[in-house]
Structures are given as C-alpha cells and as structure tokens.
Amino acid sequence: MRHTVPAGMDRKEAEAYQRLDPARLPRHIAIIMDGNGRWARRRHMPRVAGHRAGVAAVRSTVETAARIGIPALTLYAFSEENWRKRPRTEVDFLMRLLCRFLKAEIKTLNDNNIRLEYIGRKHELPESVQREMEFARDATSTNRGMVLTLALNYSARSEIVDAFRSMAQAAAQNGGLEHLEVSEQLISEHLYTRGLPDPDLVVRTSGEMRLSNFLLWQLAYAEIYVTQTLWPDFRGVQLLEGIEEFQKRERRYGGLGNDHEHAPIRTHVEAKR
C-alpha cells in the first residue's frame, strides 16, 4: 500500500520510504558513526577531511529521521576513549568542528522542530565547547518534535558507574543505603538517557561488528544493523534502508517467535537424529 511521502525527500529517499510501514517505525534509533578515517585515507586525504565530510552525513540523516517522524535519534559523536587514543591535533579539530556544527545547525534544527540534548561527561569538555552546547540546546529547547541526542565524551561503562553513584547519593540523603532497593527501573531512571525510550535499532557504519562501549544497558534488545557504508557517505536513504531491514525482523525479547508457537518440544537426543 502506497502512502504519502514526507516533503523534502529526494527520489531515492521517496522510493525507500514507500517500502516502509509508517506504523512500525522505531521509536529510537542509535547510530555509531564510523569510517571517517578510512574515507579520508582512500582519497589520500588527512583524517580531519573525513570528519569534515561527516557533517553532511549528520545533516542528511537527522533531517530524514525528523521528516518521517522518528521520536528519538542518538548519535555517537565522541567517546571517552577518543581523548586517549586520538592525536591531540585531531581532538582539537573535532572540538572546533563540533562548535561550528552547533552554531550552523540551530536554524535547521528549529526548522525541523528538533530538540537537541547531550549525554556523556559533558563537564570534562573544554569550557568553550560547553558554552556552545548549552547555547544550542537552549535555542532548540521549545521544539516538540524529534529529540536529537549527541553522545559526547561518552562511555557506557562510565554511564553505569555514574548511575550507581547517583543512586547511592540519593539513598544517603533519604534514609541511608540500607533502604536502597536496586531494580532495573531504578537504574534506568539514573542513566543519562532517562526520559528516552531504549533504542529499537542501532546502526553501525563501515562494517565493524562491535558496540564500542555505546549504550550497553539500553541496547539489550535493540536490533543491530551493520552497513559497509562509511559514515561520510551515509545519507537519509541509507537510514531508510536500515529501517526497512528492521521491519523485516521479528522481535522476540527472549520469547519464542510465531514459527515456534505450536512446535513440539524436542529432547536433546531427538535433536541429534
């Protein structure tokens, strides 16, 4: 059944969108943006050229997600490990690029009714970067469409550590640790992503098959989609292709699928025959 294509899509995006079921879109998509360095190396360019080219991929992906009505999109922009494993010159360039991006994209975010948020240990970023981050967030705070979250200076393990610290501090101020009852719900309420649904779909570009310390708690039941496309070449149409693959899958959450609903139980011996 054909359905109305959102305004602003090009021909390839429109064709990809027509293959989707708008009633079964992911509520939250998380993307591990990878491949900037390889993109630049294949073109005999410096690594920073790949980062610069990746901005166009962010813009296209964000706009497409907002146009089709995805409630939440989270982009893994800069990890805690990047501080230690990247040359200082590259890190400094990334910080300057981030500031320029935030300044340049406020109008686009507002035009698309997108609210900007951040997760990660933001207080460890340079003060100049923190100021730009706060300015951009405040400038989009009244928008009520998609929530775009940038993971900056982010580590999933650090997030879980910070969550337990927060729970312990709250308990100490409210009757003591002996009254602390830890549950999955309580942990979720103390994560950076509180208020957001857990991602239904995580996309990884450049063909790598790992989560890289990204949203480890929240991705427990997310569908994983890996594309060989390097991040600077990723566009809205590739996002739609990932959603198409997502819609082909049966989400079981640890249960049995429809094909096994009435299947007889087989013993270990029978399975070997």
Side-chain angles (χ1 to χ4, degrees), residues 26-29 71-72 74 147 193-200 215 218:
R27 295 178 305 158
H28 185 177
I29 300 174
T74 297
V147 177
T193 54
R194 55 189 172 274
L196 290 174
D198 287 345
D200 301 297
L215 300 177
Q218 298 89 333

Side-chain angles (χ1 to χ4, degrees), residues 42-58:
R42 290 176 184 179
R43 290 160 176 77
H44 307 288
M45 301 167 71
R47 284 179 58 86
V48 295
H51 298 313
R52 190 181 293 111
V55 172
V58 172

Side-chain angles (χ1 to χ4, degrees), residues 192-258:
Y192 302 152
T193 54
R194 55 189 172 274
L196 290 174
D198 287 345
D200 301 297
L201 171 65
V202 57
V203 176
R204 173 127 199 180
T205 61
S206 84
E208 298 294 342
M209 304 292 285
R210 56 181 179 272
L211 292 177
S212 295
N213 199 13
F214 183 49
L215 300 177
L216 298 180
W217 178 277
Q218 298 89 333
L219 296 180
Y221 285 103
E223 295 296 323
I224 300 174
Y225 174 72
V226 177
T227 173
Q228 296 296 323
T229 303
L230 302 178
W231 178 249
D233 294 326
F234 195 90
R235 293 293 185 272
V237 65
Q238 280 80 29
L239 177 70
L240 298 172
E241 289 169 355
I243 296 173
E244 181 182 8
E245 176 62 28
F246 166 83
Q247 292 189 343
K248 293 177 181 177
R249 300 182 187 178
E250 180 185 1
R251 306 190 73 196
R252 301 177 184 174
Y253 299 99
L256 296 177
N258 293 331

